[in-house]
PDB file of all heavy atoms in Angstrom:
ATOM      1  N   THR A 107      11.207   0.395  -3.540  1.00  0.00           N
ATOM      2  CA  THR A 107      10.825   1.195  -2.381  1.00  0.00           C
ATOM      3  C   THR A 107      11.573   2.512  -2.447  1.00  0.00           C
ATOM      4  O   THR A 107      12.806   2.526  -2.471  1.00  0.00           O
ATOM      5  CB  THR A 107      11.164   0.477  -1.064  1.00  0.00           C
ATOM      6  OG1 THR A 107      10.503  -0.791  -1.034  1.00  0.00           O
ATOM      7  CG2 THR A 107      10.709   1.295   0.132  1.00  0.00           C
ATOM      8  N   ARG A 108      10.828   3.610  -2.482  1.00  0.00           N
ATOM      9  CA  ARG A 108      11.464   4.922  -2.556  1.00  0.00           C
ATOM     10  C   ARG A 108      10.929   5.799  -1.430  1.00  0.00           C
ATOM     11  O   ARG A 108       9.715   5.999  -1.301  1.00  0.00           O
ATOM     12  CB  ARG A 108      11.204   5.594  -3.908  1.00  0.00           C
ATOM     13  CG  ARG A 108      12.103   6.797  -4.155  1.00  0.00           C
ATOM     14  CD  ARG A 108      11.878   7.404  -5.519  1.00  0.00           C
ATOM     15  NE  ARG A 108      10.609   8.121  -5.585  1.00  0.00           N
ATOM     16  CZ  ARG A 108      10.222   8.841  -6.643  1.00  0.00           C
ATOM     17  NH1 ARG A 108      10.982   8.883  -7.712  1.00  0.00           N
ATOM     18  NH2 ARG A 108       9.067   9.468  -6.640  1.00  0.00           N
ATOM     19  N   ILE A 109      11.840   6.304  -0.592  1.00  0.00           N
ATOM     20  CA  ILE A 109      11.479   7.097   0.576  1.00  0.00           C
ATOM     21  C   ILE A 109      12.343   8.352   0.595  1.00  0.00           C
ATOM     22  O   ILE A 109      13.540   8.294   0.310  1.00  0.00           O
ATOM     23  CB  ILE A 109      11.689   6.296   1.881  1.00  0.00           C
ATOM     24  CG1 ILE A 109      10.856   5.007   1.846  1.00  0.00           C
ATOM     25  CG2 ILE A 109      11.316   7.126   3.103  1.00  0.00           C
ATOM     26  CD1 ILE A 109      11.138   4.077   3.004  1.00  0.00           C
ATOM     27  N   GLY A 110      11.752   9.482   0.955  1.00  0.00           N
ATOM     28  CA  GLY A 110      12.540  10.698   1.116  1.00  0.00           C
ATOM     29  C   GLY A 110      11.827  11.922   0.611  1.00  0.00           C
ATOM     30  O   GLY A 110      11.294  11.910  -0.507  1.00  0.00           O
ATOM     31  N   VAL A 111      11.806  12.980   1.439  1.00  0.00           N
ATOM     32  CA  VAL A 111      11.184  14.239   1.043  1.00  0.00           C
ATOM     33  C   VAL A 111      12.183  15.091   0.269  1.00  0.00           C
ATOM     34  O   VAL A 111      11.931  15.495  -0.862  1.00  0.00           O
ATOM     35  CB  VAL A 111      10.663  15.006   2.267  1.00  0.00           C
ATOM     36  CG1 VAL A 111      10.064  16.345   1.854  1.00  0.00           C
ATOM     37  CG2 VAL A 111       9.628  14.171   3.018  1.00  0.00           C
ATOM     38  N   PHE A 112      13.320  15.367   0.881  1.00  0.00           N
ATOM     39  CA  PHE A 112      14.357  16.156   0.224  1.00  0.00           C
ATOM     40  C   PHE A 112      15.474  15.254  -0.313  1.00  0.00           C
ATOM     41  O   PHE A 112      15.887  15.380  -1.455  1.00  0.00           O
ATOM     42  CB  PHE A 112      14.926  17.193   1.194  1.00  0.00           C
ATOM     43  CG  PHE A 112      13.880  18.140   1.714  1.00  0.00           C
ATOM     44  CD1 PHE A 112      13.503  18.125   3.046  1.00  0.00           C
ATOM     45  CD2 PHE A 112      13.254  19.035   0.861  1.00  0.00           C
ATOM     46  CE1 PHE A 112      12.542  18.994   3.516  1.00  0.00           C
ATOM     47  CE2 PHE A 112      12.281  19.912   1.321  1.00  0.00           C
ATOM     48  CZ  PHE A 112      11.924  19.891   2.662  1.00  0.00           C
ATOM     49  N   GLY A 113      15.943  14.345   0.528  1.00  0.00           N
ATOM     50  CA  GLY A 113      16.851  13.310   0.055  1.00  0.00           C
ATOM     51  C   GLY A 113      16.038  12.151  -0.493  1.00  0.00           C
ATOM     52  O   GLY A 113      14.805  12.208  -0.585  1.00  0.00           O
ATOM     53  N   ARG A 114      16.722  11.065  -0.865  1.00  0.00           N
ATOM     54  CA  ARG A 114      15.997   9.925  -1.419  1.00  0.00           C
ATOM     55  C   ARG A 114      16.728   8.634  -1.117  1.00  0.00           C
ATOM     56  O   ARG A 114      17.923   8.499  -1.382  1.00  0.00           O
ATOM     57  CB  ARG A 114      15.839  10.070  -2.933  1.00  0.00           C
ATOM     58  CG  ARG A 114      15.085   8.920  -3.597  1.00  0.00           C
ATOM     59  CD  ARG A 114      14.974   9.133  -5.083  1.00  0.00           C
ATOM     60  NE  ARG A 114      14.218  10.342  -5.392  1.00  0.00           N
ATOM     61  CZ  ARG A 114      14.091  10.836  -6.619  1.00  0.00           C
ATOM     62  NH1 ARG A 114      14.682  10.236  -7.642  1.00  0.00           N
ATOM     63  NH2 ARG A 114      13.384  11.934  -6.830  1.00  0.00           N
ATOM     64  N   ASP A 115      16.014   7.698  -0.502  1.00  0.00           N
ATOM     65  CA  ASP A 115      16.509   6.342  -0.294  1.00  0.00           C
ATOM     66  C   ASP A 115      15.697   5.421  -1.187  1.00  0.00           C
ATOM     67  O   ASP A 115      14.464   5.413  -1.133  1.00  0.00           O
ATOM     68  CB  ASP A 115      16.367   5.919   1.169  1.00  0.00           C
ATOM     69  CG  ASP A 115      17.263   6.729   2.093  1.00  0.00           C
ATOM     70  OD1 ASP A 115      18.366   7.072   1.662  1.00  0.00           O
ATOM     71  OD2 ASP A 115      16.851   7.012   3.236  1.00  0.00           O
ATOM     72  N   MET A 116      16.393   4.637  -2.002  1.00  0.00           N
ATOM     73  CA  MET A 116      15.707   3.781  -2.966  1.00  0.00           C
ATOM     74  C   MET A 116      16.275   2.372  -2.893  1.00  0.00           C
ATOM     75  O   MET A 116      17.493   2.189  -2.836  1.00  0.00           O
ATOM     76  CB  MET A 116      15.874   4.357  -4.375  1.00  0.00           C
ATOM     77  CG  MET A 116      14.980   3.756  -5.422  1.00  0.00           C
ATOM     78  SD  MET A 116      14.989   4.781  -6.921  1.00  0.00           S
ATOM     79  CE  MET A 116      13.955   3.804  -7.991  1.00  0.00           C
ATOM     80  N   GLU A 117      15.382   1.386  -2.857  1.00  0.00           N
ATOM     81  CA  GLU A 117      15.799  -0.018  -2.800  1.00  0.00           C
ATOM     82  C   GLU A 117      15.058  -0.796  -3.869  1.00  0.00           C
ATOM     83  O   GLU A 117      13.856  -0.593  -4.093  1.00  0.00           O
ATOM     84  CB  GLU A 117      15.510  -0.621  -1.425  1.00  0.00           C
ATOM     85  CG  GLU A 117      15.989  -2.051  -1.278  1.00  0.00           C
ATOM     86  CD  GLU A 117      15.768  -2.600   0.118  1.00  0.00           C
ATOM     87  OE1 GLU A 117      15.063  -1.941   0.904  1.00  0.00           O
ATOM     88  OE2 GLU A 117      16.293  -3.692   0.417  1.00  0.00           O
TER      89      GLU A 117
END
Side-chain angles (χ1 to χ4, degrees):
T107 302
R108 193 177 73 174
I109 302 173
V111 178
F112 301 112
R114 180 180 298 173
D115 294 325
M116 193 166 177
E117 183 177 11

